[in-house]
Amino acid sequence: MPLLSFWESSPNAVLEMSIEQIVTSAGDGVLKDESLCSKELRTFFAQVPTAKLGEYAAHCLNTSFSKSGLVLQDLANELGGRLGFKVTHGLYQGTTNGIGNDGLWHLPGKHDVLVEVKTTDAYRIRLDKIAAYRDKLLNTGAISKANSMLIVVGRDDTGELEAQVRGSRHAWDMRLISVDALFRLVDLKEQTESEETANKIRELLVPFEYTRLDRLIDVMFTTAKDAVETVDEVPSEIPDAHQLTNSASDDKASVDAKREQVLAFFAKAHQVKLIRNSRALYWNDSHTFRVACGVSKRYTDSNVPYWYAFHLFWHDFLIEAEDAFYVLGCLDLDIAFAVPFVALKEHLSDLDTSTRPNGTYYWHIRIMEPQPGTFVLQLSKTGKHLALNRYLVSMKS
């Protein structure tokens, strides 16, 4: 059975397969440029959780098999996409007339990165050859003048290659990163919310001068600040905000676990495979189907049992999709609410907002339960409500 058909019908069975089995079942099983095998494999990688991609990469590095280097090349390019770059895959095998780079990662209007993927640095790499690829791409207009080169290597011990780059004329426009570190960057990006943080993570892959450390410290500070601000997604103005901050039931692990549960049932109901973009934002591999998912505990001492914040950058993320949903999970319930973004958007002006010191703002989302089992979204500025039971997602197996 072709890989994608099998993946659609039996995803758990596919995830139990080894990466060699997956490659063999993709297309005609022959991994080469412009092959059906390559197209199916890349489509599959685009739909697989990042943690699983990490397992495949580790296997490529620890167990040599036919085409393992080509698989690692595709995995590295998929990570570039998950970091927010627009990725153009390169060639597996160089040709007389083709440009043999492994990939191009674009930040439109900002920077282009030529990527080379190496399983090992046990031998000297021809840096001038990589630079020649860059020059050819520049001459054809495929990349902008704001560009650099990035070598993704399979091993952490890259001392010899680092020395080779430092001693070359490419020391200022070429950088190295291990596959493991690249995965850590993706994981960090997926755990944060701010687009500012995502931009700074991407900027780490662009060469810059290290004598002054401000840029590195700026990345660390922004990431740490983002992590603190996104631990709780509930507005700080709620009546028992102090209780929320100190409640074990609202720790990050509980919220994330509930979110994963909610989205698993939601994705199954909509027959879509969701990939994490950030901590609360998800999309499909074509980015046409998007979801923002908030989670709240139940507030027993309030007439509003569930409180959420709908952030402006969530709005901007959803508005670019063909199909978009705001999904609301409740820690103590086995149901959730998947509100189509078009329905929510009509009522945003009816909701209260709060503005943070940095100028960003969010809408207050309050779910009420006027009768047991009947849920409504409070439209605080009008005194009206939006019925939610029509958007109910059951999490009963």
Side-chain angles (χ1 to χ4, degrees), residues 149-161:
M149 296 166 281
L150 178 68
I151 302 176
V152 180
V153 292
R155 312 298 179 193
D156 291 330
D157 183 10
T158 59
E160 184 174 339
L161 182 54

Side-chain angles (χ1 to χ4, degrees), residues 209-250:
E209 203 273 320
Y210 287 90
T211 302
R212 182 170 175 173
L213 299 178
D214 293 43
R215 185 169 171 185
L216 283 173
I217 293 172
D218 190 31
V219 173
M220 296 168 61
F221 175 80
T222 303
T223 303
K225 181 173 178 288
D226 183 22
V228 170
E229 288 184 347
T230 58
V231 168
D232 298 313
E233 296 154 359
V234 185
S236 58
E237 294 82 358
I238 65 175
D240 52 353
H242 180 72
Q243 177 187 350
L244 169 67
T245 304
N246 296 283
S247 172
S249 66
D250 266 292

